[in-house]
Amino acid sequence: MRFYLSYFKLRFITQLQYRKAALAGIATQFFFGLVYIMVYLAFYESSSNNGPMEVGQLVSYLWLNQAFFALIYMYYKDNEIFNMIKNGNIAYELLRPKKIYFMWFSKIIGQRLADVALRFLPVLIVAFILPYPYGLSLPSSFLSLIMFLITLTIGALLMTAIITLYHVLTLSTLNEKGITNIFMALADILSGGVIPIPFFPVFLQKIANVLPFRYICDLPFRLYSGNISVSDGLFQMLIQVIWFIILVLIGNVILKKILKKVVVQGG
Amino acid sequence: MKLYVKSLSMHLKSMLEYKASFIIAFLSQIMVFFSYYFIILSLFDKFDNIKGFTLYEVLLCFSIIQFGYAFCETFARGIDRFDRLIISGDFDRLLLRPKNIFIQVLSSDADFIKISRLIQALIIMIISLINLNISITPLKVITLFLMIISAIVIFFGIFLLAASYCFITIQGLEVRNLFTDGGKHMAQYPIGVFKKGFLLFFTFVIPYAFVNYYPLLYFIGKSNNVLYAFTPLIVFVYLIPCFLAFKLGMKKYQSVGS
């Protein structure tokens, strides 16, 4: 455990170096946030019927989505890992007396957390200052803030488990494009990262609710604004933890199977 | 020009060498960009209009912008990825050749997988045109044609600007995404749905409004001002400073060495 923690810390610190890139990231996130909010508000203003979420809750959702973008975005490919698989350097990795799954896991989460650490605060601060209806509201209660923080953390772990899983799968497919891309696009939609799940057509809402992806961003962001109540949230948090454990187990089992017949590419 | 066509066919051939992976990537692109359309479709499932624009009007706007962007990503990828030429030093090699440098940059790369998005945009465009019930006049056909061309031109101009920026520094290049990806995202909706400040910025600084707002108003019959039909032509004027910026950058260019 200590080994993985220090590996995580190393990755975290390395990624913190990219501060200028983060600046551009902040600007982008901010711009996208504003554009999305204006689009949704325009829809709300021009329709007589109310949307499926309250405006304040929706705007908060959209800002949190932008601020914690790196924690919920499913399109993530670690090129170092992919290159390792393709050029055969994975052999060295396999020689180490450590579990490769957890090494990748800590590497990925370290990078993502550093990305978020560099970006989320400026976005949140500006979003708080913005006037109604563009601004981010305060959490609906102290308890919902706590629940938000806990579920966001577990959500980040869950996301990393999913991302690690398709990095593991690449070991046998040797192709990180194609099917992986389709999977990521679907996961991105079903997590509520593209558009909040209450806006989905009803049958898709049902599908999204039984899959693990919505626990990455839909759950924490709606908890924050009170769209999901704290008592409901507690139960859903339990499901979130179970999904996380299941996905880590699946990743480990598959990795074991693949490693039994692994062919190292190149030499 | 012959050189460009020739190198395009070379790029296509090299991509088709790996048929299976080309097809899979092609299909996955369609899936990935479906998520853009998904936002619009879901929102119109809950609401019936956005500032008076209906689903198919927005989709038309959307598909025209997507078409222009995908076109540039396919055929002007050399400019889109200009930073790579600079970083790797390959640009110096191009400068040594006795051919037009611009055509060379343009032919240095092409991405035919993005054609899937072109086709997708075309299909959506046709679907929305069928559903829109517009009385077709010759002028409206011209308007639509101008809109599509100007969508290509505007992204080409932005790619050029971003490429000229690479002459100064290759740091913070992600800002480019703000104007390409971000602008594209925004221009997918009729720009009139946004606040005044945005509308002004995207009329005069980056003229998206002339691509998909003013001509759209004329095309769908929201305005009878015939002048609006020709506003896409303004985008061509926008190309001039973009070209100049590139030329200027090239004059100042010092190799990165190695």
Side-chain angles (χ1 to χ4, degrees):
Chain A
M1 193 66 194
R2 257 184 67 194
F3 167 79
Y4 301 113
L5 264 181
S6 55
Y7 192 60
F8 158 78
K9 234 163 75 190
L10 194 75
R11 282 296 157 177
F12 185 77
I13 293 165
T14 317
Q15 195 69 14
L16 279 185
Q17 308 280 331
Y18 298 96
R19 280 188 210 111
K20 274 218 177 108
L23 217 60
I26 291 168
T28 312
Q29 241 75 72
F30 194 69
F31 179 82
F32 271 84
L34 271 182
V35 166
Y36 276 126
I37 288 167
M38 277 196 246
V39 168
Y40 281 94
L41 286 181
F43 269 112
Y44 270 79
E45 280 165 19
S46 39
S47 238
S48 48
N49 56 324
N50 276 330
M53 280 171 98
E54 272 175 45
V55 173
Q57 291 179 344
L58 173 68
V59 171
S60 298
Y61 186 104
L62 294 172
W63 276 127
L64 294 174
N65 198 344
Q66 294 301 325
F68 296 101
F69 191 66
L71 278 191
I72 57 165
Y73 193 53
M74 307 289 294
Y75 287 86
Y76 180 80
K77 293 175 180 174
D78 192 308
N79 283 325
E80 263 177 57
I81 295 179
F82 285 135
N83 286 338
M84 211 156 46
I85 292 169
K86 281 181 184 164
N87 65 21
N89 279 350
I90 185 134
Y92 299 116
E93 213 68 357
L94 290 173
L95 289 175
R96 290 182 225 273
K98 297 289 174 200
K99 284 211 160 116
I100 202 165
Y101 179 90
F102 290 104
M103 275 178 67
W104 287 358
F105 189 96
S106 26
K107 178 172 194 278
I108 291 169
I109 201 168
Q111 278 165 348
R112 303 308 295 270
L113 277 181
D115 270 348
V116 167
L118 285 174
R119 279 156 222 230
F120 82 100
L121 211 55
V123 176
L124 281 188
I125 291 172
V126 179
F128 267 124
I129 297 170
L130 282 176
Y132 180 85
Y134 299 99
L136 171 65
S137 344
L138 289 169
S140 69
S141 70
F142 181 69
L143 256 177
S144 62
L145 176 67
I146 301 284
M147 286 293 287
F148 161 72
L149 291 174
I150 298 173
T151 48
L152 186 68
T153 314
I154 306 172
L157 290 169
L158 181 60
M159 174 211 66
T160 314
I162 292 171
I163 291 178
T164 314
L165 180 63
Y166 60 67
H167 281 77
V168 164
L169 287 175
T170 316
L171 255 178
S172 71
T173 59
L174 292 182
N175 185 349
E176 83 280 12
K177 291 183 186 122
I179 295 175
T180 323
N181 276 344
I182 297 175
F183 174 80
M184 285 193 285
L186 282 176
D188 202 33
I189 290 177
L190 290 169
S191 72
V194 176
I195 169 171
I197 288 179
F199 284 90
F200 281 17
V202 177
F203 76 100
L204 266 178
Q205 282 190 32
K206 283 184 187 144
I207 296 175
N209 281 335
V210 292
L211 292 173
F213 307 112
R214 72 164 282 259
Y215 297 97
I216 293 169
C217 78
D218 181 63
L219 176 65
F221 296 165
R222 278 165 69 192
L223 267 170
Y224 175 93
S225 62
N227 191 283
I228 293 178
S229 68
V230 173
S231 50
D232 282 352
L234 274 174
F235 176 68
Q236 296 188 22
M237 194 174 82
L238 193 72
I239 303 177
Q240 195 188 23
V241 175
I242 293 171
W243 268 122
F244 170 64
I245 296 170
I246 290 176
L247 281 163
V248 170
L249 284 178
I250 292 177
N252 273 294
V253 169
I254 291 180
L255 183 65
K256 219 177 213 169
K257 275 213 166 137
I258 291 174
L259 285 185
K260 267 195 191 140
K261 48 183 176 186
V262 75
V263 180
V264 170
Q265 304 285 312
Chain B
M1 206 57 206
K2 237 171 103 186
L3 184 73
Y4 176 63
V5 175
K6 172 102 181 154
S7 66
L8 271 192
S9 71
M10 298 288 272
H11 284 302
L12 183 62
K13 266 185 203 153
S14 75
M15 258 185 187
L16 287 177
E17 281 292 302
Y18 298 93
K19 276 199 196 70
S21 80
F22 182 77
I23 291 167
I24 291 174
F26 201 83
L27 290 178
S28 78
Q29 277 289 322
I30 291 180
M31 197 52 230
V32 169
F33 285 88
F34 171 72
S35 68
Y36 285 153
Y37 295 101
F38 179 75
I39 301 181
I40 300 270
L41 291 176
S42 316
L43 282 172
F44 273 101
D45 185 53
K46 301 281 182 230
F47 305 101
D48 50 9
N49 75 90
I50 175 165
K51 299 263 165 163
F53 292 95
T54 60
L55 170 63
Y56 290 109
E57 290 164 358
V58 172
L59 278 183
L60 178 68
C61 182
F62 211 89
S63 53
I64 287 174
I65 288 291
Q66 284 288 357
F67 185 88
Y69 189 68
F71 189 92
C72 284
E73 274 205 307
T74 311
F75 297 107
R77 195 177 162 82
I79 297 177
D80 188 21
R81 291 300 175 88
F82 189 66
D83 52 322
R84 290 196 184 173
L85 279 183
I86 294 269
I87 294 170
S88 64
D90 281 340
F91 186 61
D92 302 12
R93 210 169 36 134
L94 297 188
L95 281 173
L96 289 175
R97 293 183 189 150
K99 289 278 180 207
N100 183 315
I101 184 69
F102 194 72
I103 300 287
Q104 285 193 60
V105 174
L106 209 55
S107 1
S108 67
D109 204 353
D111 185 359
F112 288 94
I113 287 166
K114 297 281 159 61
I115 285 185
S116 59
R117 287 162 58 183
L118 267 179
I119 296 170
Q120 193 183 20
L122 263 181
I123 292 172
I124 304 235
M125 209 185 292
I126 291 166
I127 292 175
S128 30
L129 282 174
I130 291 170
N131 281 292
L132 267 177
N133 259 330
I134 287 172
S135 52
I136 299 289
T137 63
L139 188 57
K140 286 203 171 168
V141 177
I142 295 174
T143 312
L144 185 68
F145 184 70
L146 281 178
M147 283 171 84
I148 296 172
I149 298 288
S150 67
I152 296 171
V153 169
I154 195 170
F155 284 113
F156 191 77
I158 293 172
F159 281 7
L160 257 182
L161 271 187
S164 339
Y165 178 77
C166 295
F167 285 120
I168 307 167
T169 169
I170 46 160
Q171 274 196 332
L173 211 57
E174 291 84 352
V175 178
R176 152 182 85 178
N177 293 343
L178 241 182
F179 295 107
T180 52
D181 262 14
K184 178 190 73 179
H185 234 87
M186 198 207 49
Q188 286 164 347
Y189 301 90
I191 292 193
V193 310
F194 296 101
K195 294 287 163 212
K196 262 268 157 56
F198 262 66
L199 182 61
L200 288 177
F201 184 81
F202 286 102
T203 303
F204 295 111
V205 184
I206 303 172
Y208 279 117
F210 296 125
V211 178
N212 76 346
Y213 185 56
Y214 298 114
L216 185 78
L217 287 182
Y218 177 78
F219 187 74
I220 59 179
K222 274 198 185 338
S223 158
N224 285 322
N225 193 341
V226 183
L227 264 183
Y228 280 2
F230 296 102
T231 43
L233 292 174
I234 297 173
V235 181
F236 286 88
V237 181
Y238 180 68
L239 259 188
I240 298 170
C242 299
F243 263 112
L244 286 180
F246 192 79
K247 274 257 159 78
L248 191 76
M250 217 156 64
K251 247 187 205 160
K252 291 258 160 78
Y253 175 68
Q254 289 171 325
S255 170
V256 286
S258 76

